[in-house]
Amino acid sequence: MTTFSNQSLMRNKYYNWIIKNLFSSWVNSLMTVVAIIFIYEVGTFFLNWAFFAADFRTNFQGELITDRSFCSKNIMPGEYGACWAIIYARWDQFMYGFYPIEEVWRVNFVYALLPLAIIGILFDKLPFRKYFIYFTFIYPFLAYFMLYGGPGLSVVGTNKWGGLLVTLFLGVTGIGLAFPLSIILALGRRSKMPIVKSLCVVFIEFIRGVPLITLLFTANVMLPLFLPDGVNPDNLLRALVAVTLFQSAYMAEAIRGGLQAIPRGQIEAAQSLGLNYWQTTRKIILPQALKIAIPPIVNTCIGLFKDTSLVLIIGLFDLLGIGRAALADMTWTKLYYEVYVFISLVFFIFCFGMSRYSLYLEKKLKTDNS
Amino acid sequence: MQTNFLRKIIFDEKSRSLLIQTLVIGLFALFIYLIAQQTAYNLEKRGISSGFDFLNLSAGYDISIRLIPFTSEDTHFRAYFVGLLNTLMIAVCGCFLATIIGFLVGVIRLSSNWLFRNIAYVYVEFTRNVPVLLQIILYYSILLHLPKIKQAIEIFDGFFLTNRGFFSPSPIFKEGFSLVLWSFLIAIIASILIKKILKKKQEQTGQQYPIFLINSALIIFTPILVYYIMGRPLEFDAPVLKGFNFKGGMVIRPEFLGMLFGLSIYTAAFISETVRSGIIAVSKGQREASQALGLKNNLVMRLIVIPQALRVIIPPLTSQYLNLTKNSSLGIAIGYADLVHGFGGISLNQTGRAIEIMLMVMLTYLTISLTISLFMNIYNKSVQFKGNA
Amino acid sequence: MEQVIQLEKVNKWYDDFHVLKDIDLSVQRGQKIVVCGPSGSGKSTMIRCINRLEAHQKGHIVVHNTELTNDLKNIDMIRKNVGMVFQQFNLFPHLSVIDNISLAPIWVKKMPKKEAEDIAMSYLEKVKIPEQAQKFPGQLSGGQQQRVAIARSLAMNPDIMLFDEPTSALDPEMIKEVLDVMIQLAEEGMTMLVVTHEMGFAKTVADQMIFMDEGKIVEQATPDEFFNNPKSDRTKLFLSQILNH
């Protein structure tokens, strides 16, 4: 019998929800119990490790932790809490690398303006969006001037850059430079001219067929061989070249997906109005295609952002590189989990944020179209 | 007349396209030519010779993880193969493990239990939003912080976890063991035949048989039976602690395990998402129609949902396999001797033949990638729905 | 007259939304009932409850003297005897037409393949598209697909057929070919419960008309009375909207 005698009970939303999602059958109830035990065990362990039993700046005796021998777990047997002091001690390196401490305000300035530069691209209903977009185009030059220096500012070589600065620099610049390149590649791949088309196909498939690390190696070792004597790009720039080419191939594929989704009727309508190829592409096809392609483009950006960590293999100090350097330091060695958990968290915040944004766009696209 | 001719070239669709393409290819050729010349000049200036003759020189370094014999006297070419095999080994093992975890998590993501669903969700979000390199390094450091050999953790009899790897007994095959293997093979062939026969029988009489159960029993129990009949022709050589190391048994190195865990746990998160969306993609209407026909739930899954979901799942699954294979090149960060680490790293440093070596490495990955995509395309064409449904 | 379907005070909620309110309905063997009403009135939900694609929460539904409850055996038994045709056809895209039709006879009725295919062919002939047997659903027109879907249901030899807006997803020129099949089925004496807005069809075949609105059965009458002398204002309004365009 499915008849419920108690109507008010049946109408109770929370009760229904709990029955349906946690206790719909005896198997389900058993799973609920197992899951609660699992969450309790893992949760308490992690919370104790990360917070309740952990040292932040001081240990359990209240002493300031200046090296790893002060960590509670290295004094008291049985203590196992995290020793976050390493993050405090190395905070500047994590954020700025080896950037001269008296010039760090310049990096902070660039960090602070980054949201302003991005926000205009992210939200199409932003008030004064036009001005934000203008700023987006000015920002890279401003940022480069601030970070590298020039007239009025002392020069800080890229070998001094590190940590989050390198991670963000490679991620943001790589994406920014790859974007126009990827549009050309995507259009080229759909071109009717066989030579243009095959060049683009070969380029895209080649880049997508090899690991990023081989491109980084190639750029690192071979770029100096390819270029005339005077021109010798530094390590960061070489990595940037590899990252940009890599990203442009993946982004081109995302954009090609968007181009394919545009019905032929759109092109025909534009042509019948007398628009030529470039007008059709610029005014009709690209705006629609890019809109559809943004979610997959954002997904490639998440991929690239994570992949910037690979530059540590060619000797750059990105976030992960700085972390490893901290662990190699005898005063802090062995605090692996603290360092890796911290770096994971930083990456997680950025990547999870981007993936939420991409989901939000996908939902918005669906409602816009229906 | 002159202007008309020019006009015709520029505005005629065909000749314009020809013009543009000639221009593109000309610029491209010029670009390549300039680079080639500059490179040749730079190489000469630095006194770096070129060519592939180095492949026959002895490598001069050792590779600890290897599937084929290798010593430091062997050639760079052999080092290439050792690396390639290691790359393929970690890729195959990684794909296998990632598929199992991925399918499991994907199904749990659709579970009717809210807590299970969300535990799986947390797993997916936390693993796929953290760089795989970081995860590899993290798991590797966990493995390196297992107890030293002297305090090895014994999980089962003869299985030890240590900071030098996972030690387990190694099998010693005695006379007669080949028969066990043969019986296994025969059982598999027999089960295929049985499946065909029972299918035919079902077609004729309509009677359904538990084919999967019968065959699983056959494949599992035949070799066990033969094993006992032959007087148990398999012995294990358990690792024994002697001095500072284990003697006997076999060992899986932490580099391999770190790579395996990192690659498969990371990739599994992506696979679980494709599995989930594949199952969701089979519309509710399909399930309802099969239920309305009176099909039971397991048959709905087997006959309707899975065949349709697989069509959706397999293309992204293959590209995940490709990604995993490419990510296996990160072995260099923890010293797993894959293609990039050994041949692309140490051989390159010793010979200085950057162009040749990077070319070989890249072409190898390209070949692997293209081969996998080729097979995927063929498969994809064969399973596409006919018509535009 | 033998009673084959009986709904008694059936209620259903989607969370807070009350979709079915105290539905009473009884269907005799051989009866043809047409259900109409504005969208969202609960008519689809009602017939989906009859083969338990949706579960009701209060009241009783009895089909062939078996009450629908959580009992899976009963559900299976009832589904075998109750055929259903969907608005969106829901053909299986990975199977050919003949495999679509013979699937259930083979796996549910455990019929030999040859026999099931013979039956499938005979029903394909009945819906007048035997030549499409080897094609796949995606290669057929909407009208052909819906006819295959009808044949698929008939192949289980049901004694009740439920139709959930079978022509709503079709282009106008294809509606007739599907309705013709349904009329033929009605003439052969099948018990039918049809949700549709095709009033011409209703006048031709229906024994009883049912008008639903806001989860309730507002009016139940013979077609003659229903079209010429509707009692309720809501029915009048609905009929004027649907007949005068």
Side-chain angles (χ1 to χ4, degrees), chain A residues 254-300:
Chain A
I255 294 174
R256 185 167 72 110
L259 290 172
Q260 274 169 340
I262 307 298
R264 254 210 81 71
Q266 291 290 315
I267 303 174
E268 284 165 2
Q271 282 171 342
S272 69
L273 290 170
L275 273 65
N276 66 28
Y277 173 80
W278 284 110
Q279 287 168 328
T280 310
T281 305
R282 245 172 48 93
K283 304 270 180 205
I284 311 295
I285 308 303
L286 269 184
Q288 298 188 56
L290 287 180
K291 199 175 163 193
I292 302 172
I294 290 178
I297 288 177
V298 175
N299 287 338
T300 67

Side-chain angles (χ1 to χ4, degrees), chain B residues 264-328:
Chain B
S264 51
I265 289 175
Y266 177 77
T267 312
F270 291 90
I271 291 180
S272 75
E273 283 298 279
T274 71
V275 169
R276 188 177 81 100
S277 55
I279 294 176
I280 289 177
V282 180
S283 71
K284 210 171 150 223
Q286 291 290 312
R287 265 170 257 231
E288 285 181 351
S290 4
Q291 283 167 354
L293 288 169
L295 288 173
K296 290 207 178 71
N297 274 336
N298 58 342
L299 282 178
V300 174
M301 275 315 268
R302 206 177 101 198
L303 299 173
I304 307 300
V305 177
I306 292 175
Q308 292 186 51
L310 276 185
R311 286 174 164 78
V312 185
I313 291 171
I314 287 192
L317 186 65
T318 345
S319 68
Q320 287 311 326
Y321 288 165
L322 275 175
N323 286 342
L324 190 147
T325 310
K326 284 185 282 174
N327 282 335
S328 72

Side-chain angles (χ1 to χ4, degrees), chain B residues 55-156:
Chain B
L55 286 173
N56 294 322
L57 300 178
S58 88
Y61 62 92
D62 243 328
I63 302 178
S64 59
I65 300 176
R66 55 185 180 244
L67 289 173
I68 51 174
F70 184 83
T71 65
S72 56
E73 267 109 69
D74 280 315
T75 60
H76 286 293
F77 196 53
R78 196 169 172 88
Y80 168 82
F81 272 107
V82 175
L84 177 60
L85 285 176
N86 281 344
T87 292
L88 292 176
M89 174 167 75
I90 190 68
V92 170
C93 296
C95 289
F96 183 72
L97 191 59
T99 309
I100 293 175
I101 303 174
F103 270 73
L104 208 68
V105 176
V107 172
I108 293 176
R109 286 271 271 134
L110 295 166
S111 148
S112 56
N113 187 291
W114 185 85
L115 288 170
F116 263 64
R117 240 167 25 220
N118 281 282
I119 290 173
Y121 173 70
V122 169
Y123 161 80
V124 169
E125 290 298 352
F126 268 100
T127 45
R128 73 172 177 180
N129 284 317
V130 170
V132 60
L133 178 61
L134 176 49
Q135 292 188 47
I136 290 172
I137 292 175
L138 175 64
Y139 303 139
Y140 182 59
S141 21
I142 294 177
L143 290 168
L144 285 187
H145 286 83
L146 289 170
K148 296 197 178 86
I149 285 191
K150 285 237 162 190
Q151 291 100 40
I153 311 171
E154 187 163 12
I155 18 180
F156 297 110

Side-chain angles (χ1 to χ4, degrees), chain C residues 11-237:
Chain C
N11 279 275
K12 179 172 175 60
W13 287 264
Y14 289 128
D15 292 326
D16 276 347
F17 181 55
H18 201 166
V19 240
L20 295 179
K21 299 172 186 162
D22 284 337
I23 300 285
D24 286 311
L25 176 70
S26 89
V27 183
Q28 318 291 322
R29 180 171 295 284
Q31 239 187 349
K32 290 108 189 100
I33 296 182
V34 169
V35 186
C36 59
S39 63
S41 59
K43 44 195 196 318
S44 287
T45 310
M46 181 181 79
I47 72 164
R48 286 159 60 86
C49 279
I50 292 173
N51 67 352
R52 194 106 176 153
L53 288 180
E54 308 270 358
H56 60 289
Q57 284 137 350
K58 202 171 163 229
H60 305 277
I61 300 179
V62 180
V63 182
H64 288 309
N65 298 322
T66 312
E67 169 151 14
L68 275 172
T69 60
N70 284 326
D71 186 330
L72 291 170
K73 276 264 175 306
N74 284 349
I75 296 174
D76 281 342
M77 204 177 73
I78 286 165
R79 281 178 179 165
K80 268 186 233 175
N81 291 319
V82 180
M84 175 136 188
V85 176
F86 300 84
Q87 182 178 354
Q88 298 296 342
F89 329 134
N90 290 345
L91 292 179
F92 307 129
H94 61 301
L95 300 176
S96 68
V97 164
I98 189 131
D99 288 344
N100 258 281
I101 304 174
S102 59
L103 180 90
I106 290 175
W107 290 99
V108 181
K109 289 204 162 167
K110 303 191 178 8
M111 232 179 237
K113 194 172 179 204
K114 182 83 182 51
E115 199 183 321
E117 283 180 348
D118 287 346
I119 290 179
M121 273 318 284
S122 72
Y123 282 107
L124 271 180
E125 268 155 33
K126 188 168 177 150
V127 299
K128 304 192 181 61
I129 35 174
E131 71 282 0
Q132 311 287 2
Q134 299 307 327
K135 287 201 180 153
F136 282 80
Q139 297 167 308
L140 303 184
S141 74
Q144 289 171 327
Q145 288 195 47
Q146 193 59 298
R147 284 187 279 161
V148 173
I150 294 173
R152 181 175 71 176
S153 283
L154 291 176
M156 285 297 285
N157 202 15
D159 42 20
I160 303 168
M161 285 287 284
L162 308 173
F163 292 86
D164 186 4
E165 308 205 23
T167 56
S168 300
L170 294 177
D171 293 335
E173 72 271 20
M174 293 167 185
I175 291 178
K176 189 175 175 300
E177 63 188 55
V178 172
L179 290 181
D180 282 348
V181 171
M182 289 168 63
I183 290 169
Q184 188 194 345
L185 208 56
E187 283 165 355
E188 289 166 9
M190 175 68 76
T191 313
M192 289 164 73
L193 204 57
V194 187
V195 173
T196 185
H197 292 151
E198 294 298 329
M199 290 303 137
F201 169 81
K203 283 176 190 163
T204 323
V205 304
D207 304 319
Q208 286 279 311
M209 292 296 298
I210 286 178
F211 175 69
M212 283 182 75
D213 194 17
E214 291 178 353
K216 282 197 204 110
I217 293 184
V218 176
E219 188 152 354
Q220 178 166 9
T222 61
D224 199 28
E225 228 178 311
F226 184 81
F227 288 109
N228 300 326
N229 190 17
K231 301 260 180 324
S232 140
D233 290 339
R234 274 189 280 178
T235 318
K236 283 177 198 159
L237 181 69

